[in-house]
Structures are given as C-alpha cells and as structure tokens.
Amino acid sequence: MTKGADLKTLLVIMIAPLCWAGNFVLARHLEGAVSPIQLNFWRWALACITLTPFVGRQIPHIFHSIKGSWAVVLIQSATGIAIYHVLVYEALGVTT
C-alpha cells in the first residue's frame, strides 16, 4: 500500500468512532434543551435521510427478506436502538 492509501484507510476507519463520540458530546450539550426522545428521533431521521440515496433502491428487497421475521426485527429495533439511546441520553443528563 502507498502512504496515501494508508491515510485514506485510517480516515475511513475513524469515521464511525468519531460519529459515535460526537453523538454523545452533542447529546450532552443539548441536555435540557431537547428531550431524549426528540434527540433520538432526529438522530435517526438524519441517518435515514443521509442513507436513503445510497440504499433507496434496495429497500423493497430488504423488506421482502425480513417479512417472515418482522416481529423479531421490531423487538430488536425497539430495545436495541430506540430504548437504548433514550436511556443513554437520559444518563447523559444526570451525570457529569
């Protein structure tokens, strides 16, 4: 690999942790101004708007593939995505 490719790889690898950390920093900053549920909603709305151009054509295929297990997907979405982040945002409001 060239040095330029190594730098590009490093930058791409750093995107996810920086977004994750930035999410918590922003949530801590907005504590009191925005409720945890609103923050969670707008976070996922922004993610959906951002990703739709890249996966928009694949959405019907995705829904077709999870049609048989929609209850499991719904439970995992509620507990692993929605409730978890609301609890994290609540915790950020009561900790230093």
Side-chain angles (χ1 to χ4, degrees):
M1 281 190 171
T2 65
K3 189 172 186 166
D6 291 338
L7 180 61
K8 183 179 176 181
T9 303
L10 181 63
L11 292 174
V12 170
I13 290 172
M14 290 174 54
I15 289 173
L18 287 174
C19 288
W20 188 273
N23 175 41
F24 294 136
V25 171
L26 181 65
R28 181 72 172 140
H29 178 71
L30 293 175
E31 187 266 321
V34 180
S35 77
I37 293 174
Q38 289 174 323
L39 189 59
N40 198 23
F41 171 80
W42 289 113
R43 176 180 178 252
W44 284 105
L46 179 65
C48 288
I49 291 168
T50 304
L51 293 175
T52 297
F54 300 104
V55 297
R57 287 179 273 183
Q58 298 171 2
I59 291 174
H61 301 294
I62 294 168
F63 280 124
H64 179 71
S65 66
I66 65 170
K67 187 172 30 174
S69 57
W70 65 270
V72 173
V73 172
L74 184 65
I75 291 169
Q76 289 177 339
S77 299
T79 58
I81 296 172
I83 294 173
Y84 168 75
H85 285 101
V86 169
L87 292 174
V88 166
Y89 297 147
E90 280 289 335
L92 288 171
V94 297
T95 59
T96 57

